[in-house]
Amino acid sequence: MDMGWRYLTAEDKRNILRGIRDGKAYGGPYHVEIYPADRCNIDCFFCSTAAIRGTDELPLDRMLALIDEMKAAGTRAIRFAGGGEPMFHRKFKEILRRIVEAKIPIENITTNAVLLDEEVAELLTQCCDMVTVSLNTADAESYASMMQTPARNFERVLKNVRNLARIRKNRRPIIDVQFLVWRDNYKTIPRMYALARELGADTILFNGLSYLPPEKLMSESQIAEMLALYEEVVRVDEFRVIRNISSFERDITPEITAMIERLSAERRTRGTIRRAIDFVRRSDFTLAEKLRHRARLREDVHLADEARKIDDACVIGWYSMVVRSTGEVAPCCILQAKSSGNIFRQPLAEVWQSEAYDAFRGELTAIIRGGEEWRPEGSEQVVDANCGKRGTFLCPMRSFYYLRDAEFIREIGALFDAMRDGARPSRPQSAGVSPGDQLR
């Protein structure tokens, strides 16, 4: 997932760099994340937005006008998330039809897929790059418990995902299945993997739950058992379909790093000829899938080397914005409670070019210039302490969307250096080992 970065033109990128240098926006927003509805059709006990969620949805007329405004502003891609469930908007199909007409790609929609019926699936094949399905677990019983919904919805979701996999053309949209692994379902990790493969998933994300009460946290022995199960599936998958393994209960990066190194060493002991034979004989992936995997691993190594050369400060204020169902505009999903305008009071372009948004960009500029020395100045700021962290993965929005663009990485690294008055910043070391660093 690159938040639509692939759709940017060379001029768009030059405008972003010039805007970062000057502290203003010369184009965009190039990407808009929209929460069509605050309402949800299920009631997950772990929902991170329940406390700020209401019953709103963007009225259809404002939503259609917003699509026109994005088209006029040069928005290159849209993301639908929430908030609530995007497909729970009463007029979601009408919204999709207008997007198809406007020819603005949906780079990702995150959904529980309960309402991903045949008509919605057909529309998504015309305009959407990736559908992230929050399946979360591997059986109807735990699904009903986690999602606090009738167990029959589990089979309904499986049916909907299978249908989407059947009707799509040229792997569009990519089907991305997310599992949320915690104390009550971690023993089914192999089943999760098998189920996602059976559904036709192109990518699999294994994440965890956050802000759990102490009585629901995993013990160290359970975490060890969970890691052994992850190793079991990674040994088979070798990060072909699995794209992420993480936990919010505690940092498991050292263990995952050690696991990758261990499996890599194990693989090397088989020798070049044996690995080549295994590559040819392996039948659970097509030859095209195997070749794409090898090419991606080589590219990942190159891009990881490039990314290590820069201090990847946040530049989201020159690229993307979030529009909530209330009309409030926020800088990103992490800071969604911070408002920089409202599309019921101003057109989208005016919000993007407003003094409030320029003030936010000024805060990001201060972070870039301050480097390791930057500290937040007060609660009145839009940014918070995590926006200035270095060498960590605390904020997933910081830079991941452009880190597959080697030329831009080099250009923005040079710009960051120049903005710090020529003082070379200390280069952050890798916070972990990329799968491509070892499994090649």
Side-chain angles (χ1 to χ4, degrees):
M1 299 195 310
D2 65 359
M3 285 177 58
W5 188 263
R6 76 197 77 173
Y7 293 110
L8 266 60
T9 66
E11 183 180 3
D12 293 337
K13 295 174 188 178
R14 285 194 296 270
N15 284 337
I16 290 171
L17 291 167
R18 188 160 63 103
I20 295 168
R21 183 195 67 198
D22 296 346
K24 58 173 61 176
Y26 290 111
Y30 297 103
H31 176 270
V32 180
E33 180 171 331
I34 304 172
Y35 299 174
D38 251 4
R39 303 177 302 115
C40 195
N41 53 338
I42 57 178
D43 188 26
C44 304
F45 83 84
F46 51 82
C47 180
S48 61
T49 62
I52 61 173
R53 196 169 67 218
T55 58
D56 306 286
E57 66 177 24
L58 282 166
L60 180 62
D61 59 349
R62 187 64 189 95
M63 187 69 224
L64 298 182
L66 180 63
I67 294 169
D68 294 341
E69 291 171 21
M70 289 188 292
K71 184 72 174 179
T75 298
R76 306 304 184 196
I78 301 168
R79 169 173 290 200
F80 280 128
E85 162 59 39
M87 295 183 187
F88 204 37
H89 191 289
R90 295 176 180 87
K91 302 293 182 180
F92 190 66
K93 293 174 184 177
E94 286 88 335
I95 294 170
L96 289 181
R97 292 189 191 101
R98 176 61 68 87
I99 289 173
V100 171
E101 293 171 1
K103 297 181 180 179
I104 306 176
I106 301 170
E107 54 90 8
N108 176 271
I109 179 169
T110 300
T111 175
N112 58 46
V114 172
L115 299 174
L116 180 58
D117 63 26
E118 293 184 7
E119 186 175 1
V120 171
E122 177 59 38
L123 287 165
L124 290 176
T125 65
Q126 301 175 51
C127 64
C128 186
D129 293 339
M130 175 182 282
V131 177
T132 296
V133 178
S134 297
L135 185 56
N136 298 335
T137 193
D139 60 83
E141 182 180 1
S142 61
Y143 183 89
S145 175
M146 288 180 70
M147 317 285 266
Q148 300 187 125
T149 189
R152 64 178 179 273
N153 275 336
F154 181 73
E155 293 300 330
R156 181 177 179 179
V157 169
L158 300 189
K159 177 184 175 183
N160 290 344
V161 176
R162 289 189 182 106
N163 176 66
L164 179 62
R166 179 181 60 82
I167 69 170
R168 64 181 178 157
K169 298 176 180 65
N170 299 319
R171 295 176 71 243
R172 190 186 193 227
I174 289 170
I175 297 173
D176 177 41
V177 174
Q178 174 176 255
F179 294 105
L180 297 179
V181 180
W182 71 302
R183 186 196 62 189
D184 287 4
N185 70 356
Y186 75 91
K187 293 185 178 182
T188 65
I189 287 172
R191 172 59 184 148
M192 292 177 189
Y193 177 75
L195 177 59
R197 294 295 310 280
E198 174 195 329
L199 290 173
D202 301 287
T203 55
I204 303 171
L205 305 177
F206 287 108
N207 292 315
L209 298 181
S210 56
Y211 304 113
L212 289 171
E215 66 273 12
K216 291 187 176 182
L217 295 175
M218 298 174 69
S219 66
E220 283 300 311
S221 63
Q222 288 171 325
I223 290 174
E225 186 178 1
M226 175 186 73
L227 289 165
L229 292 171
Y230 277 138
E231 182 164 336
E232 178 182 326
V233 296
V234 169
R235 177 175 278 106
V236 173
D237 186 80
E238 295 184 335
F239 290 100
R240 286 174 165 82
V241 182
I242 297 170
R243 294 297 171 86
N244 184 70
I245 298 175
S246 65
S247 172
F248 294 109
E249 293 189 35
R250 77 159 173 83
D251 183 14
I252 60 172
T253 301
E255 289 94 336
I256 298 299
T257 299
M259 177 188 72
I260 293 171
E261 293 172 342
R262 186 166 54 252
L263 293 179
S264 177
E266 180 182 296
R267 186 174 184 276
R268 288 194 297 269
T269 61
R270 299 204 300 269
T272 303
I273 295 175
R274 179 71 257 175
R275 293 201 305 271
I277 293 171
D278 292 342
F279 178 87
V280 172
R281 288 182 174 177
R282 185 164 186 166
S283 61
D284 53 341
F285 292 93
T286 67
L287 178 60
E289 288 171 333
K290 289 185 281 189
L291 291 174
R292 281 198 300 268
H293 171 63
R294 303 312 300 173
R296 182 174 63 83
L297 288 182
R298 288 192 294 271
E299 183 183 24
D300 284 349
V301 172
H302 171 68
L303 293 171
D305 288 342
E306 291 294 327
R308 290 188 187 102
K309 298 174 184 177
I310 71 165
D311 186 354
D312 54 342
C314 181
V315 297
I316 200 77
W318 291 273
Y319 181 61
S320 179
M321 61 169 25
V322 170
V323 177
R324 296 180 57 193
S325 57
T326 58
E328 296 294 331
V329 175
C332 66
C333 63
I334 306 298
L335 300 174
Q336 63 179 276
K338 303 287 186 74
S339 176
S340 296
N342 190 298
I343 62 164
F344 291 124
R345 295 193 296 267
Q346 297 169 281
L348 184 77
E350 288 187 15
V351 176
W352 183 248
Q353 298 288 350
S354 67
E355 290 183 8
Y357 232 97
D358 277 347
F360 168 61
R361 294 184 186 104
E363 294 172 10
L364 294 181
T365 299
I367 294 173
I368 294 169
R369 293 186 186 281
E372 296 285 352
E373 304 305 315
W374 177 85
R375 297 292 182 273
E377 295 181 358
S379 59
E380 69 280 0
Q381 286 189 311
V382 176
V383 298
D384 64 24
N386 286 336
C387 299
K389 295 289 186 181
R390 297 291 192 272
T392 73
F393 292 104
L394 287 179
C395 178
M397 302 302 295
R398 183 173 63 243
S399 58
F400 79 92
Y401 49 92
Y402 66 75
L403 287 182
R404 300 196 73 80
D405 186 339
E407 182 178 355
F408 187 82
I409 291 171
R410 289 191 289 271
E411 292 177 346
I412 202 170
L415 176 60
F416 287 165
D417 285 348
M419 290 174 68
R420 296 185 183 114
D421 298 323
R424 299 294 295 179
S426 58
R427 299 302 190 188
Q429 298 299 310
S430 172
V433 177
S434 155
D437 284 337
Q438 298 292 334
L439 293 174
R440 49 177 170 150

